[in-house]
Amino acid sequence: MGVAQRTGVLLPSCPDLKLALVLGERALFVNGDLQTARRWFDSAYRLAELCGDPSSLARAALGLDGIWVHEHRTCAESEMVRARQRHALAEALSLAHHCLLGPGHAAIRLELASELIGQAAVTERGGDLLMGLLWRTVDLYLAADPHAERGLEELRGLLAGHDHLAVGYVADAIEVMLTIRAGRFAEAEKRAGECFERGVAAGDMDATGWYGGQLGAIRWFQGRAAELLPVLSDLVSSPTLSPIDNSYLAGLALAAAVAGDRRAAAGHLARLRVEEMPGSSTWLVSMYCVVETAHLLQDPDTAARAYALLRPFADLPVVASLGVACFGSAHHSLGMAALTTGDLPTAVEHLRAAVRGNLALEHWPAAALSRWRLGQALALRDGVRDQAAAREQAVAAREARELGMVLPAVVGRSSAGRDGCRLRRHGRRWQVELGGRLALVDHSVGMGAPGHAGRQSGPGDPRRRPGRGGLDARAGGRVGPAAAGRAGQGRLPAAAGPAGGGDRRAGVDERPGAGGGAAAGARVAGGGAGGGDGHRRAGAAVHGERGAGQDRRGQGDQAGAGADLGGGPGDRGGAARHGADGAALLLPAPIVDRWWNGMSRPR
């Protein structure tokens, strides 16, 4: 949006302005005709004021100065030229500030805003003071300054005495962002609609785009990003968007990934050309979406490149444009990038910082999301029984429930142990490890088959024994009937506790498409009393189709088992494989993933 538009002036077509500037510059710099040049520049200055064109205003004011010192000898002429140049300076300061909204120009932006506020006392134009205070307020929010709201209050005080459509519209947009931070989503959506109407009334070209960004932030934290696909598909090609704004294409990639359309998400991500994206007021938001999409697609290469680009801006908040929407601390994106690449210590470090940063921002939805991801990273790093991981996820689940959020299921996995399932015996229990996930199950006859202990099984393992206890070439590992029965009695409560996927109000998204890929559904149904071992048995069916859903028709005392065990992107569920008595529970990668996710939640 141009500065002239922000002052509430629509830009008419002014062909005479361009002609006057060209003729004035030709007279001055080509012909050396000072008198003719002054006449053309005077005309150009007046036309630029009418057209609200700050760049042409500055050119005309500088042209009036001629080529010699003290060219204007009378007092009236010299003061007129000086006043016009002061006005042009104010316009130039505002224009320069608007061109430096990328994350790397925070210090110089504040200097320009302060100088513009000082220049307003010279020009005696109320619009210059309002623009100066607006830019300063925006700068404080972009820098996560703890006193940013003081600037907004000062701006609101001035607007109360003299309304300004364009400046008031931006102030309203900031208020919408603060409402989203507070987690009042219904109120924020209502205010976003009202803000859009004010933007249209002010003639702001960004009104549609800003409304889309605010709605996108609300839906993201609500866990409803997939609903934005039709809107984003239209917006991404809108001619009203800035030519350097990539945030809507990045948002479209993320929405497609959340909806499970991996092909479209990967295509949109490739179009972005991450390293070539120009620095702008939406660069951080674009990178946020890139990282989240890369995580859902399990694309470590893109995540690593995004991490390197984002690292210098770790302590900044991810704020869109002039304070339109906020997605929390940039440490969250860095943590998610590290999680995607398998660097768990770095992921934990950044996600801890993200929680602290989001609390300081009073961005409650972002704090809950970062805390949830921190719990997942801790469980991956320190094991599924880690108390710190369970504590973080319990707090996050409670906060999500209070805010009406749906938290995402785990997708990432550590870099170690991806190629197979490792079984280790610990007394009367077995440790099952796959893709960095750990699960403990009780001993059984099937688990004790010869050659299992301490061995690793991969896709090419020849010890395939379908229908009985032991390992399976496609599934990676299997727990016998007794262990499966005890799992049904509480070992695998994927839906138990306040974070269970069966209750959307609890704040956990366990839908097959929520992880963003081909999900594998599973059903765990409790049976009657077992055979000779006296243990309760559970039957499991693993379906590899995309979008396989839940079956909660549990029998007996399942103790919370029976949740959707679908995996995230990249997981491949095997076909249904029952034992001879229908009681064996296989352990393919998606099941262990969900097993880990359920066991790491609070009971």
Side-chain angles (χ1 to χ4, degrees):
M1 181 190 307
V3 174
Q5 289 168 294
R6 292 199 180 284
T7 59
V9 179
L10 294 177
L11 294 177
S13 176
C14 294
D16 292 342
L17 170 59
K18 184 176 180 180
L19 177 62
L21 285 172
V22 169
L23 293 176
E25 289 171 351
R26 178 184 297 174
L28 183 63
F29 300 117
V30 177
N31 301 329
D33 187 342
L34 305 181
Q35 185 173 0
T36 301
R38 281 195 291 270
R39 286 202 301 268
W40 282 120
F41 282 127
D42 179 73
S43 176
Y45 186 90
R46 298 177 189 277
L47 287 171
E49 280 189 312
L50 291 174
C51 293
D53 188 338
S55 178
S56 298
L57 194 73
R59 287 173 62 187
L62 292 173
L64 282 169
D65 218 17
I67 58 176
W68 308 118
V69 177
H70 302 304
E71 191 168 305
H72 301 277
R73 300 305 171 88
T74 67
C75 180
E77 281 187 349
S78 61
E79 287 302 320
M80 179 196 68
V81 172
R82 189 174 291 112
R84 287 182 171 182
Q85 289 175 344
R86 283 196 294 265
H87 291 175
L89 175 60
E91 296 282 358
L93 288 169
S94 185
L95 186 62
H97 186 287
H98 199 192
C99 292
L100 297 172
L101 288 175
H105 305 294
I108 191 171
R109 282 201 309 267
L110 271 173
E111 292 181 13
L112 290 171
S114 297
E115 189 173 351
L116 177 56
I117 292 171
Q119 193 65 24
V122 178
T123 64
E124 298 182 347
R125 294 191 302 188
D128 292 337
L129 178 59
L130 283 170
M131 285 302 301
L133 287 174
L134 173 64
W135 285 132
R136 183 176 180 275
T137 301
V138 168
D139 292 339
L140 294 178
Y141 277 110
L142 295 181
D145 190 286
H147 303 307
E149 291 193 17
R150 295 182 184 178
L152 182 60
E153 285 301 312
E154 183 178 359
L155 182 61
R156 281 295 189 195
L158 284 178
L159 287 170
H162 176 71
D163 193 20
H164 191 287
L165 286 177
V167 173
Y169 167 53
V170 180
D172 284 353
I174 294 174
E175 296 282 4
V176 174
M177 181 265 289
L178 295 176
T179 309
I180 297 173
R181 280 185 178 181
R184 301 194 300 271
F185 297 132
E187 179 186 347
E189 189 167 345
K190 179 176 180 293
R191 297 186 71 163
E194 296 169 351
C195 183
F196 169 73
E197 294 296 335
R198 177 157 190 172
V200 171
D204 198 305
M205 294 295 291
D206 284 330
T208 301
W210 283 14
Y211 177 67
Q214 290 166 341
L215 197 62
I218 294 169
R219 293 290 181 265
W220 168 250
F221 288 116
Q222 288 178 322
R224 299 165 55 189
E227 297 176 14
L228 297 170
L229 271 174
V231 176
L232 288 172
S233 297
D234 292 337
L235 261 179
V236 76
S237 301
S238 172
T240 64
L241 295 180
S242 166
I244 60 173
D245 186 355
N246 293 287
S247 61
Y248 294 95
L249 180 57
L252 180 61
L254 178 55
V258 171
D261 192 344
R262 294 171 56 83
R263 181 181 300 170
H268 298 320
L269 200 59
R271 285 174 59 193
L272 283 167
R273 300 177 182 176
V274 176
E275 288 87 356
E276 300 177 19
M277 288 196 304
S280 69
S281 62
T282 58
W283 186 84
L284 283 174
V285 174
S286 300
M287 295 302 293
Y288 182 97
C289 295
V290 165
V291 169
E292 294 290 342
T293 304
H295 179 68
L296 292 175
L297 297 179
Q298 285 296 276
D299 181 355
D301 178 63
T302 298
R305 289 185 286 133
Y307 182 93
L309 294 169
L310 273 169
R311 188 64 183 87
F313 312 113
D315 295 325
L316 295 180
V318 180
V319 176
S321 193
L322 309 187
V324 175
C326 178
F327 292 84
S329 170
H331 275 290
H332 179 91
S333 295
L334 289 165
M336 292 303 296
L339 188 63
T340 307
T341 61
D343 187 352
L344 297 179
T346 301
V348 168
E349 177 185 351
H350 282 301
L351 290 170
R352 283 193 193 281
V355 172
R356 292 193 300 269
N358 290 330
L359 290 175
L361 292 172
E362 297 185 356
H363 196 321
W364 312 133
L369 181 58
S370 295
R371 194 182 295 278
W372 178 250
R373 290 302 197 185
L374 173 61
Q376 292 174 341
L378 285 169
L380 282 169
R381 188 191 70 175
D382 301 330
V384 296
R385 297 295 185 184
D386 181 63
Q387 292 184 357
R391 182 171 58 251
E392 296 293 351
Q393 289 193 307
V395 174
R398 184 182 67 248
E399 292 174 348
R401 184 166 56 250
E402 293 171 354
L403 294 170
M405 296 173 59
V406 176
L407 295 170
V410 67
V411 178
R413 40 175 95 191
S414 69
S415 58
R418 279 189 173 182
D419 297 330
C421 179
R422 185 180 297 275
L423 308 176
R424 294 186 181 88
R425 186 166 181 173
H426 296 278
R428 292 289 299 169
R429 291 187 175 186
W430 289 85
Q431 174 181 297
V432 183
E433 180 179 357
L434 181 64
R437 274 45 165 208
L438 298 175
L440 292 176
V441 297
D442 290 338
H443 176 68
S444 71
V445 175
M447 292 296 290
H452 289 185
R455 295 290 299 275
Q456 181 171 348
S457 169
D461 197 307
R463 296 173 292 120
R464 180 178 178 182
R465 302 170 59 184
R468 300 205 295 271
L471 298 174
D472 179 84
R474 282 191 290 171
R478 180 149 56 121
V479 182
R486 278 185 286 277
Q489 295 177 25
R491 289 290 175 199
L492 302 174
D503 185 359
R504 289 183 60 87
R505 293 173 301 171
V508 181
D509 192 348
E510 293 287 358
R511 295 166 297 166
R523 181 176 64 213
V524 180
D533 58 8
H535 295 301
R536 187 173 301 278
R537 299 183 178 185
V542 182
H543 308 280
E545 301 85 24
R546 177 187 299 267
Q550 301 177 348
D551 187 343
R552 300 187 180 280
R553 297 169 297 170
Q555 305 170 8
D557 53 347
Q558 291 183 2
D564 175 12
L565 303 182
D571 291 332
R572 295 291 184 266
R577 305 183 61 82
H578 299 281
D581 55 3
L585 179 62
L586 300 177
L587 286 178
I591 299 303
V592 176
D593 285 349
R594 293 292 176 160
W595 208 0
W596 165 84
N597 201 22
M599 294 179 75
S600 64
R601 295 185 190 138
R603 300 293 188 267

